[in-house]
Amino acid sequence: MTDQLQNAMIGCAGLLAGVAASLILQLIYRRHGMRKRLFDERQQWITNQAKAAGWNVTTFLLIVAWALIIVFDGISTTFFLMTGVFVLHNVVYIFSSVYHANRNG
């Protein structure tokens, strides 16, 4: 096994461990919050506002990353990968907006 492959496997293992830890902590927080009745309408409103701000920042960062990839890496696989992520991000935004508008309207 080459060093590059070993490093990639260690990186992927770390990524998976981080996702697993995040899910476990979220489950613990959710159970604790349900017992303490922390999830009321005010908390939902705050969470929705935070998610909206997060999506706005993500959109901006994707555009910046896209520009940096074009400048430093040129039109390559990375460019098309970032383009796909950006398009998917916006498609999910459109579908979720339509869904929630129809559900609440």
Side-chain angles (χ1 to χ4, degrees), residues 17-36:
V19 169
S22 175
L23 289 174
I24 290 169
L25 289 173
Q26 187 175 12
L27 179 67
I28 292 169
Y29 171 72
R30 190 84 181 146
R31 286 189 178 183
H32 174 73
M34 293 296 263
R35 279 191 224 128
K36 298 262 186 187

mmCIF file of all heavy atoms in Angstrom, residues 17-36:
data_model
loop_
_atom_site.group_PDB
_atom_site.id
_atom_site.type_symbol
_atom_site.label_atom_id
_atom_site.label_comp_id
_atom_site.label_asym_id
_atom_site.label_seq_id
_atom_site.Cartn_x
_atom_site.Cartn_y
_atom_site.Cartn_z
ATOM 1 N N ALA A 17 -15.498 9.120 11.015
ATOM 2 C CA ALA A 17 -15.546 9.205 12.476
ATOM 3 C C ALA A 17 -16.163 10.530 12.922
ATOM 4 O O ALA A 17 -16.941 10.570 13.883
ATOM 5 C CB ALA A 17 -14.142 9.051 13.064
ATOM 6 N N GLY A 18 -15.853 11.607 12.224
ATOM 7 C CA GLY A 18 -16.444 12.898 12.544
ATOM 8 C C GLY A 18 -17.940 12.921 12.317
ATOM 9 O O GLY A 18 -18.703 13.459 13.127
ATOM 10 N N VAL A 19 -18.394 12.311 11.222
ATOM 11 C CA VAL A 19 -19.831 12.232 10.944
ATOM 12 C C VAL A 19 -20.523 11.387 12.014
ATOM 13 O O VAL A 19 -21.585 11.762 12.526
ATOM 14 C CB VAL A 19 -20.087 11.663 9.532
ATOM 15 C CG1 VAL A 19 -21.548 11.317 9.324
ATOM 16 C CG2 VAL A 19 -19.623 12.655 8.477
ATOM 17 N N ALA A 20 -19.931 10.257 12.365
ATOM 18 C CA ALA A 20 -20.520 9.388 13.389
ATOM 19 C C ALA A 20 -20.591 10.105 14.737
ATOM 20 O O ALA A 20 -21.617 10.043 15.429
ATOM 21 C CB ALA A 20 -19.711 8.095 13.510
ATOM 22 N N ALA A 21 -19.531 10.797 15.115
ATOM 23 C CA ALA A 21 -19.538 11.534 16.381
ATOM 24 C C ALA A 21 -20.590 12.629 16.361
ATOM 25 O O ALA A 21 -21.302 12.849 17.359
ATOM 26 C CB ALA A 21 -18.152 12.128 16.649
ATOM 27 N N SER A 22 -20.720 13.314 15.249
ATOM 28 C CA SER A 22 -21.726 14.366 15.124
ATOM 29 C C SER A 22 -23.137 13.810 15.271
ATOM 30 O O SER A 22 -23.982 14.396 15.958
ATOM 31 C CB SER A 22 -21.566 15.074 13.780
ATOM 32 O OG SER A 22 -22.580 16.014 13.587
ATOM 33 N N LEU A 23 -23.410 12.674 14.636
ATOM 34 C CA LEU A 23 -24.736 12.063 14.741
ATOM 35 C C LEU A 23 -25.046 11.602 16.163
ATOM 36 O O LEU A 23 -26.160 11.784 16.656
ATOM 37 C CB LEU A 23 -24.846 10.888 13.766
ATOM 38 C CG LEU A 23 -24.909 11.263 12.288
ATOM 39 C CD1 LEU A 23 -24.858 10.004 11.426
ATOM 40 C CD2 LEU A 23 -26.140 12.084 11.979
ATOM 41 N N ILE A 24 -24.058 11.027 16.826
ATOM 42 C CA ILE A 24 -24.250 10.585 18.209
ATOM 43 C C ILE A 24 -24.522 11.783 19.119
ATOM 44 O O ILE A 24 -25.448 11.755 19.942
ATOM 45 C CB ILE A 24 -23.033 9.772 18.693
ATOM 46 C CG1 ILE A 24 -22.986 8.430 17.973
ATOM 47 C CG2 ILE A 24 -23.071 9.567 20.206
ATOM 48 C CD1 ILE A 24 -21.691 7.660 18.164
ATOM 49 N N LEU A 25 -23.749 12.844 18.971
ATOM 50 C CA LEU A 25 -23.966 14.036 19.793
ATOM 51 C C LEU A 25 -25.312 14.687 19.504
ATOM 52 O O LEU A 25 -25.986 15.178 20.419
ATOM 53 C CB LEU A 25 -22.835 15.042 19.586
ATOM 54 C CG LEU A 25 -21.492 14.634 20.178
ATOM 55 C CD1 LEU A 25 -20.402 15.618 19.760
ATOM 56 C CD2 LEU A 25 -21.579 14.559 21.685
ATOM 57 N N GLN A 26 -25.732 14.681 18.255
ATOM 58 C CA GLN A 26 -27.034 15.244 17.908
ATOM 59 C C GLN A 26 -28.156 14.426 18.546
ATOM 60 O O GLN A 26 -29.137 14.990 19.041
ATOM 61 C CB GLN A 26 -27.195 15.293 16.395
ATOM 62 C CG GLN A 26 -28.450 16.023 15.964
ATOM 63 C CD GLN A 26 -28.529 16.168 14.457
ATOM 64 O OE1 GLN A 26 -27.778 15.546 13.715
ATOM 65 N NE2 GLN A 26 -29.441 16.999 14.015
ATOM 66 N N LEU A 27 -28.026 13.113 18.537
ATOM 67 C CA LEU A 27 -29.022 12.256 19.170
ATOM 68 C C LEU A 27 -29.101 12.532 20.672
ATOM 69 O O LEU A 27 -30.203 12.649 21.228
ATOM 70 C CB LEU A 27 -28.684 10.786 18.911
ATOM 71 C CG LEU A 27 -29.618 9.752 19.536
ATOM 72 C CD1 LEU A 27 -30.999 9.824 18.902
ATOM 73 C CD2 LEU A 27 -29.037 8.359 19.384
ATOM 74 N N ILE A 28 -27.952 12.639 21.321
ATOM 75 C CA ILE A 28 -27.922 12.934 22.756
ATOM 76 C C ILE A 28 -28.555 14.292 23.035
ATOM 77 O O ILE A 28 -29.376 14.438 23.953
ATOM 78 C CB ILE A 28 -26.473 12.875 23.289
ATOM 79 C CG1 ILE A 28 -25.959 11.436 23.250
ATOM 80 C CG2 ILE A 28 -26.390 13.437 24.706
ATOM 81 C CD1 ILE A 28 -24.469 11.303 23.493
ATOM 82 N N TYR A 29 -28.210 15.319 22.255
ATOM 83 C CA TYR A 29 -28.776 16.658 22.428
ATOM 84 C C TYR A 29 -30.289 16.635 22.220
ATOM 85 O O TYR A 29 -31.038 17.268 22.966
ATOM 86 C CB TYR A 29 -28.123 17.640 21.457
ATOM 87 C CG TYR A 29 -28.796 18.983 21.422
ATOM 88 C CD1 TYR A 29 -28.679 19.866 22.487
ATOM 89 C CD2 TYR A 29 -29.564 19.369 20.328
ATOM 90 C CE1 TYR A 29 -29.310 21.100 22.465
ATOM 91 C CE2 TYR A 29 -30.202 20.592 20.297
ATOM 92 C CZ TYR A 29 -30.070 21.456 21.365
ATOM 93 O OH TYR A 29 -30.697 22.673 21.341
ATOM 94 N N ARG A 30 -30.744 15.908 21.216
ATOM 95 C CA ARG A 30 -32.179 15.852 20.914
ATOM 96 C C ARG A 30 -32.942 15.212 22.071
ATOM 97 O O ARG A 30 -33.993 15.697 22.475
ATOM 98 C CB ARG A 30 -32.379 15.058 19.620
ATOM 99 C CG ARG A 30 -33.750 15.143 19.093
ATOM 100 C CD ARG A 30 -33.888 16.404 18.267
ATOM 101 N NE ARG A 30 -35.252 16.479 17.784
ATOM 102 C CZ ARG A 30 -35.909 17.605 17.625
ATOM 103 N NH1 ARG A 30 -35.331 18.742 17.858
ATOM 104 N NH2 ARG A 30 -37.136 17.596 17.195
ATOM 105 N N ARG A 31 -32.418 14.110 22.594
ATOM 106 C CA ARG A 31 -33.085 13.455 23.730
ATOM 107 C C ARG A 31 -33.095 14.351 24.962
ATOM 108 O O ARG A 31 -34.098 14.435 25.666
ATOM 109 C CB ARG A 31 -32.399 12.128 24.049
ATOM 110 C CG ARG A 31 -32.714 11.067 23.052
ATOM 111 C CD ARG A 31 -32.203 9.739 23.502
ATOM 112 N NE ARG A 31 -32.572 8.719 22.541
ATOM 113 C CZ ARG A 31 -32.307 7.449 22.690
ATOM 114 N NH1 ARG A 31 -31.654 7.027 23.753
ATOM 115 N NH2 ARG A 31 -32.678 6.584 21.767
ATOM 116 N N HIS A 32 -31.987 15.002 25.231
ATOM 117 C CA HIS A 32 -31.905 15.921 26.369
ATOM 118 C C HIS A 32 -32.890 17.078 26.193
ATOM 119 O O HIS A 32 -33.595 17.452 27.130
ATOM 120 C CB HIS A 32 -30.477 16.452 26.512
ATOM 121 C CG HIS A 32 -30.325 17.512 27.551
ATOM 122 N ND1 HIS A 32 -30.362 17.235 28.892
ATOM 123 C CD2 HIS A 32 -30.155 18.853 27.440
ATOM 124 C CE1 HIS A 32 -30.215 18.363 29.571
ATOM 125 N NE2 HIS A 32 -30.087 19.353 28.698
ATOM 126 N N GLY A 33 -32.950 17.631 24.994
ATOM 127 C CA GLY A 33 -33.854 18.751 24.718
ATOM 128 C C GLY A 33 -35.314 18.364 24.820
ATOM 129 O O GLY A 33 -36.146 19.160 25.268
ATOM 130 N N MET A 34 -35.654 17.142 24.395
ATOM 131 C CA MET A 34 -37.041 16.693 24.500
ATOM 132 C C MET A 34 -37.453 16.556 25.967
ATOM 133 O O MET A 34 -38.570 16.916 26.332
ATOM 134 C CB MET A 34 -37.224 15.353 23.775
ATOM 135 C CG MET A 34 -37.044 15.449 22.278
ATOM 136 S SD MET A 34 -38.260 16.464 21.491
ATOM 137 C CE MET A 34 -39.384 15.213 20.965
ATOM 138 N N ARG A 35 -36.551 16.056 26.794
ATOM 139 C CA ARG A 35 -36.862 15.924 28.222
ATOM 140 C C ARG A 35 -37.045 17.282 28.880
ATOM 141 O O ARG A 35 -37.895 17.449 29.741
ATOM 142 C CB ARG A 35 -35.750 15.158 28.930
ATOM 143 C CG ARG A 35 -35.877 13.675 28.769
ATOM 144 C CD ARG A 35 -34.934 12.926 29.682
ATOM 145 N NE ARG A 35 -34.332 11.866 28.888
ATOM 146 C CZ ARG A 35 -33.042 11.637 28.787
ATOM 147 N NH1 ARG A 35 -32.189 12.359 29.441
ATOM 148 N NH2 ARG A 35 -32.602 10.668 28.024
ATOM 149 N N LYS A 36 -36.226 18.260 28.488
ATOM 150 C CA LYS A 36 -36.289 19.603 29.078
ATOM 151 C C LYS A 36 -37.277 20.515 28.360
ATOM 152 O O LYS A 36 -37.410 21.679 28.715
ATOM 153 C CB LYS A 36 -34.897 20.243 29.040
ATOM 154 C CG LYS A 36 -33.866 19.511 29.821
ATOM 155 C CD LYS A 36 -33.696 20.147 31.136
ATOM 156 C CE LYS A 36 -32.530 19.444 31.835
ATOM 157 N NZ LYS A 36 -32.412 19.891 33.183
#
